[in-house]
Amino acid sequence: MEQDLTALRAVLGECDEEITRALKKRMECIEGIIQYKRRHGMPVLQPEQEKVQLDAVGRMVKDAPFGEEILHIFEGIIENSRKIQAKSLFDRNILLIGFMGAGKSTVAACLGRMLAMETVEMDAYIEAKEGMKISKIFEVYGEEYFRNCESNTLIELRKKDHVVISCGGGVPLRSENVRLMKENGYAVWLTADPKTILSRVKHSTARPLLNGHMNLEYIQELMESRREKYVAAADVIVDTSGKHVMEICEELLQKISGLQERTTRS
Ligand code: S3P
């Protein structure tokens, strides 16, 4: 019995060695693919190719014992490759800024999936830390306190690497916040016309600044009063009106890659 267990563990060790060797080879291959795509001007991320690979593994393990588990491991491996590929595109965080209803949360979630990047929703982060909804924070402690929470969150998130941060709409109002954002990230300003904004936020009661002012004139005015701050903060601008979220993400990535290339060249 003792002997058997030792023998089984030895086989396990051999398997791990084989897997490690194969994974090292796979990662080197990914690096080669990135360089090839670069040289030939091809898009680095190709989700359709991921599907081809996963389908191939799916066929190999179909009806096999532990087929589902093996497939699950492969999903992780492929997600990891996506992460490596995404990191090769740019090496900084992405901070989404823009007015309420500009689509920051939706775009952050989509980018997170596309690039296998961690996403942080700043409002949710603050709510969890304070143990209170944003509207309650405004009500109990006032707007200034909430703005301090935003600045502190930026300081805490500075440690993070390669994350998408969906910022609250008021974050770029403080120049100190803009400085913090730019330390290790690209600020992407998502814009939309006031009518689109109203249509997206009109049924929500979660935004204290709009409660009791849910009309086009107020939104237009508030947007206008913030325009200069957003302009000053933005590294990249993407208009979201009338566009599908995938379209927005692709445009955003193209613009960031251009920016990254210019920074690397200079
Ligand atoms: C605010 C935007 C909100 C939230 C708070 C204040 C603002 O975030 O942080 O209600 O000042 O624009 P969203 O832009 O994610 O709605």
Side-chain angles (χ1 to χ4, degrees), residues 98-101 104-105 121 123 134 138 143 146-147 150 167-170 173 206-209 226 230:
F99 202 76
M100 295 168 265
K104 300 177 296 271
S105 309
E121 187 67 42
D123 281 351
I134 301 291
F138 268 70
E143 181 169 350
F146 173 71
R147 299 300 173 202
E150 289 182 321
C167 299
L173 300 181
R207 297 179 172 96
L209 294 183
R226 289 181 169 187
Y230 287 138

Side-chain angles (χ1 to χ4, degrees), residues 33 37 42-51 53 85:
I33 290 175
K37 286 179 174 173
M42 293 164 73
V44 170
L45 294 161
Q46 292 181 300
E48 65 289 352
Q49 182 56 30
E50 278 185 13
K51 191 173 170 340
Q53 278 163 246
Q85 287 174 304

Side-chain angles (χ1 to χ4, degrees), residues 20-32:
T20 310
R21 211 177 306 121
L23 282 175
K24 279 186 186 162
K25 194 167 160 191
R26 199 179 194 285
M27 304 273 189
E28 278 168 21
C29 197
I30 294 288
E31 281 186 328

Side-chain angles (χ1 to χ4, degrees), residues 189-209:
W189 178 20
L190 299 180
T191 64
D193 59 79
K195 272 194 193 147
T196 305
I197 294 283
L198 180 62
S199 71
R200 290 177 186 164
V201 299
K202 67 181 174 202
H203 297 302
S204 159
T205 51
R207 297 179 172 96
L209 294 183

